[in-house]
Structure formats: structure tokens, C-alpha cells
Amino acid sequence: MKLIVGLGNPDRQYLNTFHNLGFMSADKTAALLGVEFKKEKFRALLAEKGSGENKIILAKPLTYMNLSGESIREIASFYKIDGKDILVIYDDYDLKKGFIRIRESGSAGTHNGMRNVIKELGTENFPRIRIGFKPDEPTFIPLIDFVLSGIKEEDKPLFDETTSRAAKAAAEFAKGESVLSLISKYNGKK
């Protein structure tokens, strides 16, 4: 069983923000797997495919970013999903825009949502896909405001391509591809 989680904020006002890159990727992963987010359970929107050991669960927590881990813990606990089978997709200011970085484990860095995920799961040992959005030029907007700012029109094609790559990697993970294989295929910028 696999659990793929895209982090984001559920309100409409956050749809086109950097903090919703995880949600955008989860939507594209669902499309690639031929499923839709139809169910609301564990304080998340869920899309499911298959059954038993072959079940794939996609989740978009509705707890808002900084409490995402609470929803993920509830799902993982209910289905008894091991950390190695949980993939979390999220935005990362510490990575240049247009880059993705897949890792088997690691710290939360500056990401409060991931801090909560690690706290709630009680481990850093779960794979993740980080989607970079650090601007090429310095910005003087506080980070808390920048992550919730809208993606500029000229950057939309880049982030569309980047979230599509993240979704392809997530769909391959769901089908059993190893994290190490995904790292060699997808890390970096296209």
C-alpha cells in the first residue's frame, strides 16, 4: 500500500500560490493514475486506486499547511502504512525555482508543514519530493508572505512543467518504482 500526499492549503485564495505546489502535483498524479479526489476522510481529500496491498491512496490534507502531519498520521495509522511507503510532495524555498529534489528521508529545513509531518509521524524516514520556487533575484518580501503569493504569469509554464514532473515521479512511486531510481531520473531541472 502506498500513500502519496501533496501539501497545500484548501481555500480557493491559495490555489495559485507557491504553498500549493504539492496540491497541484497531487492533482496531476491523480490524473495520471486515473482517479479523482472524491472522498473526504481523515481531514483530507482522498483519491484511491486498487485494494489490499496494491491500494494507492492520494491525499490533500484539509488541515492547512502547518498541521498537515495530523491528517497524514491519521491515514498512515488507520491503514498501517510504513514510512517508506509514504511520499510527501511540497514546495521548498531553499531549492531554485523549476528544480525538484527527491530524497529518501531528511529534515524539514525551513518548511513548517514538513516540521509538523515529521513531528506527527515521529520520523524523518519517509520519501519526499521537494519543488523549488526560490526566485532568481533576491526578494524583500518576508518568506511567510512570499509562500502565499501568487505565481507570476510568466512563471506558470515553468511550474506547470515542474509539477508535472513531480506527478510523474509520484505515479511511478505508486506503481512500485524505487526512490533511488526516481532520484536518478527526476532530480534537478529538466
Side-chain angles (χ1 to χ4, degrees), residues 149-181:
S149 64
I151 297 170
K152 292 179 182 172
E153 204 58 44
E154 64 265 22
D155 285 334
K156 284 183 180 177
L158 174 65
F159 286 107
D160 181 55
E161 189 275 328
T162 306
T163 54
S164 293
R165 283 179 47 236
K168 285 179 191 167
E172 289 177 26
F173 173 84
K175 294 175 182 175
E177 187 84 25
S178 77
V179 176
L180 290 177
S181 171

Side-chain angles (χ1 to χ4, degrees), residues 8 36 50 85 120 170:
E36 293 178 21
D85 294 318
E120 293 293 330

Side-chain angles (χ1 to χ4, degrees), residues 67-71 73 115-123:
L67 298 176
S68 299
E70 294 178 5
S71 173
R73 177 185 40 78
R115 281 190 189 126
N116 185 256
V117 173
I118 289 168
K119 175 186 165 235
E120 293 293 330
L121 292 179
T123 184

Side-chain angles (χ1 to χ4, degrees), residues 4 7 21 23 42 66 89 102 141 158 168 171 189:
I4 297 168
L7 300 189
L21 292 170
F23 272 16
F42 308 111
N66 292 349
I89 311 169
I102 302 170
I141 302 169
L158 174 65
K168 285 179 191 167
K189 186 175 181 178

Side-chain angles (χ1 to χ4, degrees), residues 81-100:
I81 302 172
D82 190 66
K84 69 178 176 33
D85 294 318
I86 300 171
L87 177 71
V88 179
I89 311 169
Y90 64 102
D91 61 284
D92 192 340
Y93 182 79
D94 296 325
L95 194 59
K96 281 184 159 186
K97 72 178 178 180
F99 282 74
I100 66 171

